Amino acid sequence: LAGFQGHGRNVGWYRRELQVPAKWAGKKLFLEFQGAMQTTALWVNGRKVGDYAVSGYDSFDFDITPYVKAGKNLVTVRVDDRVNSDIPPDGKWLDYILFGGLYRDVFLHVTDPMHLTFAWEARQAGVRLTLPEVSETQAVVQAESTVRNESARARRCTLVTEIRDRSGHLVKTMREEREIPAGAEATFPQQSGPIIHPHLWSPEDPYLYQVLTLLREGNHELDRWQTALGIRWVKFDKQQGFFLNGQHLKLVGANCHQAWPYLGNAVPDGLHRCDAEQMKAMGVNWVRLSHYPQSPDFLDALDELGLMAMEEPPTWEAQGSEKWESNLEASFRSMVRRDRNHPCIILWSTCINHHPADPRLVQAAKEEDPTRDRAQD
């Protein structure tokens, strides 16, 4: 593998004009990057906004509010893909190419100063869905939504969580009103009443409910998020194997890298779905996401097609420096926070490829998502 690891890796620059209408005055503006290989620096109108240097596979965001003005703005991005021994999976060696550049979607979010947070920001952030009670008879949904008030004054808001079926019909509603001090955050823990005889998610019938998280101030909507919900439960038994929704199921799997010939990692959403459809057609019912957090669009396709998955941090075969290990843990935690609502995810991988479990990743998995097993267990 001599010379392979650094093959074709360089620095890429991007510039884009961003028009900010006057009606956005007083709004918050965020740029969300779904993936950039592998360290990212951002400038707006020549002023440095910040850097992201944890992993080239993570989703992350920058708050660009203080840097923009009404009218024309210049956004500049530098993506540095040169070999960096502090950024996993770089290190001693690996067996796949880290194709450079902005290879996943970038979104502009325009919100009120009081808004829902991004899931990857903290252990308690964004919208988190769990099932404290689940069976063929009934299911209870726990929703925890975190709101940040970046206004200069305390504000009273209402957090409404709606669970709707595939046809859009309302199944359950949860509502809570609260005052949030200026510059503070609040998490709204809400629990639904029982959903009687829920439509369960499975490879044969990948039924998805939709959860709408609505943030309101009086009759005015401030922010909203939509999250797919698959109601299902899994169990691993040492003697009898794997069970989904109480039924024994033989796992037939495949590994999947995100790269395509001639495209590298810059794969359109439709080709991610094509990968999932091909695996479904060949009889696979679960996939190992090798060897890094993969595109949210690919996970959406797995949810919708009924393919289960094990997701991995960006690793290969050898641990690196303390900085490398810290970045690995940070990337892993970010991955779990972003993807923990996907019904397709049945396992988190807490190892360095096929080597023994990494104690830091095991601890992180237990802290971030105790509802799922670790693959190395």
Side-chain angles (χ1 to χ4, degrees):
L1 297 180
F4 172 86
Q5 187 166 341
H7 181 71
R9 298 174 60 186
N10 214 318
V11 178
W13 288 88
Y14 301 80
R15 291 194 302 177
R16 180 173 180 135
E17 184 179 292
L18 174 64
Q19 287 287 344
V20 174
K23 66 180 180 180
W24 287 358
K27 298 287 189 181
K28 295 287 296 183
L29 280 73
F30 300 92
L31 281 180
E32 174 196 347
F33 293 76
Q34 286 194 339
M37 190 62 68
Q38 71 178 336
T39 67
T40 303
L42 175 68
W43 292 262
V44 174
N45 297 325
R47 298 168 62 196
K48 182 72 173 288
V49 178
D51 298 276
Y52 189 82
V54 176
S55 162
Y57 299 97
D58 304 340
S59 294
F60 56 94
D61 69 279
F62 291 107
D63 181 355
I64 63 171
T65 312
Y67 305 90
V68 297
K69 62 184 188 297
K72 185 187 301 184
N73 295 265
L74 180 63
V75 177
T76 305
V77 179
R78 183 189 69 208
V79 184
D80 189 344
D81 190 38
R82 291 172 295 184
V83 174
N84 186 333
S85 60
D86 287 337
I87 307 291
D90 259 342
K92 294 184 179 179
W93 60 80
L94 69 159
D95 76 339
Y96 49 96
I97 294 176
L98 306 184
F99 297 100
L102 293 177
Y103 67 95
R104 292 182 188 160
D105 292 333
V106 180
F107 295 106
L108 173 66
H109 296 260
V110 182
T111 74
D112 189 271
M114 189 155 62
H115 56 88
L116 294 159
T117 59
F118 290 105
W120 49 79
E121 292 184 46
R123 193 182 309 171
Q124 194 68 63
V127 176
R128 180 176 192 166
L129 304 176
T130 54
L131 298 166
E133 183 180 341
V134 58
S135 68
E136 292 180 344
T137 306
Q138 66 178 35
V140 173
V141 178
Q142 173 87 10
E144 299 166 77
S145 307
T146 301
V147 176
R148 179 177 296 137
N149 179 13
E150 298 192 67
S151 305
R153 59 179 175 85
R155 295 172 67 180
R156 179 164 290 276
C157 66
T158 303
L159 197 287
V160 180
T161 301
E162 298 179 347
I163 303 174
R164 295 183 176 271
D165 65 16
R166 181 182 283 173
S167 300
H169 297 127
L170 187 63
V171 176
K172 294 292 176 184
T173 302
M174 299 166 271
R175 181 188 304 265
E176 183 181 352
E177 185 176 338
R178 191 185 301 185
E179 183 176 278
I180 304 178
E185 290 184 4
T187 297
F188 293 73
Q190 299 174 321
Q191 194 167 104
S192 74
I195 301 172
I196 305 303
H197 299 300
H199 199 141
L200 299 179
W201 183 95
S202 69
E204 295 75 27
D205 184 10
Y207 188 92
L208 294 173
Y209 293 83
Q210 294 296 325
V211 177
L212 290 178
T213 306
L214 308 170
L215 180 64
R216 293 173 178 160
E217 187 175 40
N219 295 322
H220 179 54
E221 184 177 300
L222 304 178
D223 203 357
R224 69 160 52 201
W225 202 258
Q226 181 168 316
T227 310
L229 169 67
I231 298 179
R232 54 88 179 126
W233 73 96
V234 303
K235 177 185 176 183
F236 289 89
D237 183 273
K238 184 178 288 188
Q239 278 73 42
Q240 299 181 5
F242 176 72
F243 290 80
L244 176 68
N245 301 332
Q247 303 296 314
H248 183 264
L249 179 64
K250 181 177 176 62
L251 294 175
V252 180
N255 299 322
C256 185
H257 272 289
Q258 66 184 7
W260 267 63
Y262 310 108
L263 297 177
N265 288 340
V267 179
D269 299 346
L271 290 188
H272 285 306
R273 175 168 289 275
C274 180
D275 276 341
E277 289 173 344
Q278 288 188 77
M279 286 188 289
K280 184 78 172 181
M282 67 188 259
V284 162
N285 62 16
W286 90 293
V287 55
R288 177 194 185 192
L289 305 181
S290 307
H291 304 280
Y292 36 78
Q294 297 201 11
S295 169
D297 301 293
F298 184 51
L299 297 185
D300 288 343
L302 299 184
D303 287 342
E304 294 162 17
L305 294 169
L307 284 163
M308 295 171 288
M310 176 182 77
E311 193 167 24
E312 300 187 323
T315 62
W316 182 226
E317 286 194 351
Q319 290 175 289
S321 64
E322 171 58 30
K323 180 63 174 176
W324 185 97
E325 183 73 19
S326 295
N327 281 330
L328 179 67
E329 180 184 346
S331 176
F332 178 83
R333 288 181 183 272
S334 176
M335 174 188 78
V336 174
R337 293 165 185 172
R338 188 194 71 176
D339 297 337
R340 61 194 172 194
N341 291 328
H342 284 279
C344 66
I345 302 293
I346 60 171
L347 286 169
W348 303 117
S349 176
T350 52
C351 74
I352 307 296
N353 197 10
H354 49 267
H355 290 255
D358 183 322
R360 288 174 63 160
L361 298 185
V362 172
Q363 183 62 29
K366 291 178 178 179
E367 292 174 357
E368 298 288 348
D369 183 19
T371 71
R372 284 181 177 86
D373 290 314
R374 280 76 56 196
Q376 286 67 44
D377 292 341

